[in-house]
């Protein structure tokens, strides 16, 4: 996978670095460099990992800084 996100598995929680307003999403699938994520504020989105590196979230307090 081009973006280095091969470790992302269904059920993992992630945040989109350019779209923090989407909230913390749950990975649905990771196939061929395309990760499908269900975000609470944006719905189901397919992310090309060659263009965006999703940030894993291991607990609700570990989030990207706003701004």
């Amino acid at each position: 996978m081009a973006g280095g996100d091969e470790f992302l598995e269904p059920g993992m929680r992630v945040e989109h670095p350019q779209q923090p307003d989407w909230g913390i999403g749950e990975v649905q699938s990771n196939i061929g460099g395309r990760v499908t994520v269900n975000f609470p504020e944006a719905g189901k989105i397919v992310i090309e990992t060659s263009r965006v590196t999703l940030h894993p979230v291991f607990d609700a307090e570990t989030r990207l800084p706003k701004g």
Side-chain angles (χ1 to χ4, degrees):
M1 293 178 198
D5 290 328
E6 55 273 353
F7 68 92
L8 295 175
E9 297 179 355
M12 290 182 74
R13 297 182 324 154
V14 294
E15 195 166 39
H16 189 298
Q18 287 85 40
Q19 301 292 341
D21 292 344
W22 289 359
I24 297 172
E26 184 177 322
V27 174
Q28 305 294 302
S29 66
N30 184 354
I31 301 170
R34 295 168 57 109
V35 178
T36 302
V37 181
N38 192 16
F39 291 98
E41 301 299 326
K44 194 174 283 189
I45 305 288
V46 177
I47 307 289
E48 293 282 342
T49 59
S50 62
R51 304 176 98 195
V52 175
T53 300
L54 295 168
H55 295 264
V57 176
F58 297 105
D59 72 45
E61 300 302 316
T62 307
R63 303 180 85 164
L64 294 175
K66 303 293 181 193

